[in-house]
């Protein structure tokens, strides 16, 4: 009798485990959204910003609907652009939870932890200094370069490292064509290209409806292939190096104990973990001013 009880318990535990909904984290930036082809559409007081918000919300909903078509899921969406109050939250698919606004210590990955099964990036862009990258930048205009353990990364690469240290794979990344190429140089990942940038502030666009179709298709493929997805490996302690546009910011950052000066505009720091590195990076470029 005891054996049978144990067996029943194990079977029910197993089936319960199998029925656990997938946990998916979506980080959504704005520059790489399909249909956004001018810098003004990404800025609060710019022409057609309202349309930009709608397009951003539509892309999230396209991805979310594709995930739910395959089964139950818990989805957390993090608004990751500018002041992080861009999504039209009342128009988001009601099945998601979402993180809105600033100030949050983990910025574009706020809410992500090791209980998630996968991460999706939407609306992403290339790192600072990338030719033909639509509105290419890393965090803010003051950053000229960022390296994690010697590898140059932009926002997508940085966030993928954060996820990797938690053991969570990035399974889909969408943004302009140069971004999709750049992120694939760091690790293998499914991508959707939304536009081909002409210089840094104009682009040849794919129609948003077509982008939504591609996003749905690639989201489903990513979900079906989840068992093969691998998180990127991140060495800890984690060395971060940042190059800035001015020597003044580097001067100020030298007030942090153990910060090392590499050259006039570049500093380096060895953090005990990727999590610690991420939090410090955010302080270094965003919250320090003079
Ligand atoms: Zn942005």
């Amino acid at each position: 009798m005891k054996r049978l009880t144990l067996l029943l318990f194990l079977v029910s535990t197993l089936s319960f485990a199998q029925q656990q909904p997938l946990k998916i984290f979506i980080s959504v930036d704005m520059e790489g959204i399909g249909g956004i082809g001018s810098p003004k559409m990404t800025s609060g007081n710019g022409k057609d910003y309202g349309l930009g918000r709608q397009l951003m919300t539509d892309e999230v909903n396209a991805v979310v609907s594709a995930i739910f078509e395959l089964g139950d899921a818990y989805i957390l969406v993090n608004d990751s652009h500018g002041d992080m109050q861009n999504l039209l939250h009342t128009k988001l698919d009601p099945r998601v939870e979402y993180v809105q606004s600033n100030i949050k210590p983990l910025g574009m990955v706020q809410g992500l932890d090791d209980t998630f099964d996968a991460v999706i990036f939407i609306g992403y862009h290339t790192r600072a200094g990338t030719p033909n990258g639509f509105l290419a930048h890393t965090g803010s205009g003051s950053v000229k370069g960022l390296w994690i353990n010697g590898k140059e990364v932009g926002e997508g690469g940085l966030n993928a490292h954060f996820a990797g240290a938690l053991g969570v794979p990035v399974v889909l990344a969408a943004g302009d064509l140069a971004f999709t190429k750049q992120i694939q140089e760091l690790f293998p990942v499914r991508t959707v290209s939304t536009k081909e940038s002409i210089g840094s502030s104009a682009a040849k666009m794919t129609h948003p409806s077509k982008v939504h179709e591609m996003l749905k298709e690639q989201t489903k493929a990513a979900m079906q292939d989840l068992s093969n997805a691998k998180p990127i490996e991140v060495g800890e302690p984690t060395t971060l190096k940042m190059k800035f546009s001015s020597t003044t910011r580097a001067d100020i950052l030298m007030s942090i104990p153990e910060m090392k000066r590499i050259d006039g505009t570049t500093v380096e720091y060895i953090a005990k973990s990727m999590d610690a590195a991420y939090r410090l990076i955010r302080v270094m470029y965003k919250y320090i001013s003079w």
Side-chain angles (χ1 to χ4, degrees):
M1 234 1 224
K2 264 188 180 171
R3 266 188 153 178
L4 182 64
T5 312
L6 180 66
L7 188 67
L8 285 173
F9 172 75
L10 285 173
V11 168
S12 63
T13 308
L14 195 66
S15 59
F16 175 73
Q18 282 166 346
Q19 284 164 9
Q20 284 288 298
L22 283 177
K23 278 189 85 171
I24 309 294
F25 183 86
I26 300 176
S27 171
V28 53
D29 204 345
M30 200 165 191
E31 293 85 344
I33 294 290
I36 293 184
S38 89
K40 288 177 184 169
M41 290 180 78
T42 68
S43 128
N45 51 10
K47 182 181 174 186
D48 286 343
Y49 170 67
L51 175 58
R53 299 178 77 181
Q54 182 68 57
L55 290 164
M56 187 182 181
T57 309
D58 291 346
E59 275 198 24
V60 172
N61 286 343
V63 168
V64 168
S65 69
I67 295 170
F68 276 110
E69 270 181 48
L70 296 176
D72 195 13
Y74 170 79
I75 302 176
L76 182 61
V77 179
N78 184 19
D79 192 325
S80 299
H81 173 75
D83 65 0
M84 303 188 171
Q85 189 190 330
N86 309 279
L87 288 167
L88 301 171
H89 46 271
T90 58
K91 293 184 179 170
L92 272 177
D93 190 311
R95 292 171 290 187
V96 306
E97 287 197 308
Y98 57 96
V99 179
Q100 188 183 34
S101 194
N102 245 336
I103 294 167
K104 44 194 185 192
L106 293 172
M108 301 176 85
V109 290
Q110 191 71 50
L112 177 59
D113 61 34
D114 63 4
T115 65
F116 281 84
D117 296 295
V119 173
I120 293 175
F121 297 153
I122 305 175
Y124 270 49
H125 54 82
T126 52
R127 64 179 181 242
T130 307
N132 295 317
F134 190 72
L135 298 175
H137 67 279
T138 303
S140 78
S142 65
V143 180
K144 294 296 165 199
L146 170 64
W147 293 260
I148 299 293
N149 290 335
K151 258 188 282 178
E152 188 167 13
V153 295
E155 294 171 17
L158 174 65
N159 297 339
H161 274 74
F162 181 86
L166 293 171
V168 185
V170 178
V171 296
L172 176 63
D176 68 282
L177 179 63
F179 163 74
T180 61
K181 289 181 178 170
Q182 193 166 73
I183 199 88
Q184 280 172 325
E185 282 167 18
L186 272 181
F187 61 97
V189 60
R190 279 191 170 73
T191 58
V192 170
S193 166
T194 59
K195 69 197 87 173
E196 185 175 353
S197 198
I198 302 161
S200 66
S201 59
K204 184 172 76 175
M205 310 297 294
T206 303
H207 192 278
S209 60
K210 180 73 187 158
V211 170
H212 298 161
E213 268 175 43
M214 294 190 291
L215 278 172
K216 284 182 181 173
E217 195 178 300
Q218 290 304 314
T219 299
K220 283 181 190 166
M223 292 299 115
Q224 282 161 342
D225 198 25
L226 210 52
S227 56
N228 292 318
K230 288 188 185 66
I232 60 172
E233 286 179 23
V234 185
E236 292 183 323
T238 305
T239 302
L240 67 94
K241 187 171 81 168
M242 292 184 87
K243 185 172 185 62
F244 296 97
S245 56
S246 80
T247 54
T248 312
R249 188 175 290 263
D251 292 341
I252 294 168
L253 291 171
M254 291 312 292
S255 304
I256 298 172
E258 315 296 331
M259 188 66 73
K260 193 171 148 194
R261 191 78 171 247
I262 303 296
D263 63 31
T265 55
T266 311
V267 296
E268 187 178 273
Y269 185 87
I270 300 171
K272 68 176 183 346
S273 64
M274 185 59 219
D275 180 88
Y278 196 100
R279 290 167 194 269
L280 182 60
I281 287 166
R282 198 159 162 79
V283 169
M284 286 166 71
Y285 80 79
K286 191 174 177 68
Y287 298 124
I288 288 179
S289 58
W290 62 92

